[in-house]
Amino acid sequence: MVKILEIVKDENIIFSEAEKKYGDYYLHAKATLEYLDLFLTNKVENEAYVFLMFFAQVNKSLKLALLSFLRAHNNQAGMNVRHAFEAFVLAIYGLKNPDLSLYYKEKGTLDELEKVNSLARKWLDQEHPEVSANIKIIKKQLSNVLVHANLRQVFDNFSLHKDNIGEGFATSFFDEENTELTKERINWLANNTLTLMQIVQDIKGNCTYINLADSFNKDIQQLSILGKQLRDQLQVEN
């Protein structure tokens, strides 16, 4: 039987060992995800509220994804990343369509909410087709590998064994440890997080509702260079 308090203790141990186990991959991902709180200034106008509300969801879900990858909960990480990208589409749509009444109706039905999602996706298709196409590719990859149940996933925490007593099976609350794969995934997460912040910069344009940090270009460049170096290093090692 898996006890919840024991799980919490085990997760804390796993997380405390992350820097030692993943080194620069962990440090880069940590710095990138923390930069989500720093790349915008605190000076905003009322018209930015829709963007900020949805981007808060992006921020939270990406950080949960990093924690999930590090704690060996890969499906949970994938679902959080997918949620982050869906919220991101609504956030950048909100940057150009800041009227809150477009997102809320008195009934608040699921049909009404889906209409907003549909409008946001169509807007992105028309106004920023390359961004839209890349997001669709990432969501499809996540769906195929991590988000939806499939046979590939079950062997991450299920195994058959045979010993002198007989045949049996074992399950684990945590996915099977794979250090190199986790490095690859947190590097992928960090690099895509950087891309999302750059998309905000591109789509923002002359919009004055939000303002980027004065050091944004320098910070993003430094993080992007290191992210690419780590990705290239993985490819050489593997």
Side-chain angles (χ1 to χ4, degrees):
M1 181 177 68
V2 178
K3 296 182 179 180
I4 299 299
L5 287 180
E6 291 178 359
I7 291 172
V8 173
K9 291 179 182 178
D10 289 342
E11 288 188 335
N12 284 334
I13 292 171
I14 291 171
F15 189 76
S16 68
E17 296 173 347
E19 182 175 349
K20 180 180 178 181
K21 186 177 293 184
Y22 306 114
D24 288 340
Y25 293 91
Y26 164 74
L27 293 174
H28 174 256
K30 176 176 175 290
T32 299
L33 272 292
E34 289 177 346
Y35 194 62
L36 286 168
D37 296 315
L38 302 173
F39 86 105
L40 296 174
T41 69
N42 290 327
K43 184 180 178 181
V44 297
E45 299 179 18
N46 291 346
E47 290 86 350
Y49 285 166
V50 172
F51 165 80
L52 293 172
M53 286 189 290
F54 284 116
F55 200 81
Q57 295 290 301
V58 177
N59 190 340
K60 178 183 75 171
S61 290
L62 290 174
K63 287 175 179 171
L64 284 172
L66 176 60
L67 292 173
S68 298
F69 278 136
L70 294 173
R71 295 180 303 195
H73 301 311
N74 292 305
N75 300 133
Q76 184 184 52
M79 287 186 280
N80 275 301
V81 176
R82 183 182 173 94
H83 178 264
F85 275 91
E86 291 174 348
F88 181 75
V89 172
L90 289 165
I92 55 178
Y93 179 68
L95 194 59
K96 294 297 183 178
N97 300 273
D99 184 356
L100 189 59
S101 67
L102 296 173
Y103 305 82
Y104 174 80
K105 304 296 181 185
E106 286 186 9
K107 293 181 180 179
T109 65
L110 291 176
D111 287 343
E112 289 172 341
L113 296 174
E114 178 54 33
K115 287 178 182 177
V116 176
N117 289 327
S118 180
L119 286 172
R121 290 192 296 266
K122 288 179 181 177
W123 170 82
L124 194 62
D125 282 339
Q126 294 171 359
E127 300 296 326
H128 304 279
E130 185 175 347
V131 172
S132 180
N134 288 336
I135 288 177
K136 288 176 182 177
I137 290 171
I138 290 172
K139 287 171 65 177
K140 184 176 181 179
Q141 291 172 340
L142 288 168
S143 295
N144 291 340
V145 179
L146 293 176
V147 174
H148 298 302
N150 61 71
L151 190 61
R152 182 189 305 177
Q153 297 170 356
V154 299
F155 296 107
D156 285 341
N157 62 341
F158 178 91
S159 62
L160 298 172
H161 65 264
K162 186 175 183 179
D163 53 30
N164 56 355
I165 299 176
E167 296 181 357
F169 67 90
T171 63
S172 169
F173 181 76
F174 299 96
D175 292 341
E176 183 180 14
E177 183 175 346
N178 187 326
T179 302
E180 294 307 305
L181 182 58
T182 301
K183 286 181 180 178
E184 180 182 325
R185 285 176 168 169
I186 62 175
N187 177 246
W188 175 88
L189 177 65
N191 289 336
N192 275 286
T193 299
L194 291 169
T195 298
L196 294 186
M197 287 187 276
Q198 289 171 309
I199 291 172
V200 171
Q201 181 188 37
D202 293 340
I203 292 180
K204 172 187 177 299
N206 296 324
C207 171
T208 59
Y209 308 153
I210 61 172
N211 295 284
L212 300 172
D214 292 338
S215 60
F216 175 80
N217 289 323
K218 182 186 73 173
D219 296 337
I220 286 291
Q221 183 181 32
Q222 290 176 345
L223 288 167
S224 297
I225 290 172
L226 180 54
K228 185 178 184 302
Q229 289 174 343
L230 292 170
R231 184 189 64 197
D232 293 343
Q233 183 177 318
L234 271 175
Q235 292 174 346
V236 171
E237 292 174 353
N238 296 330

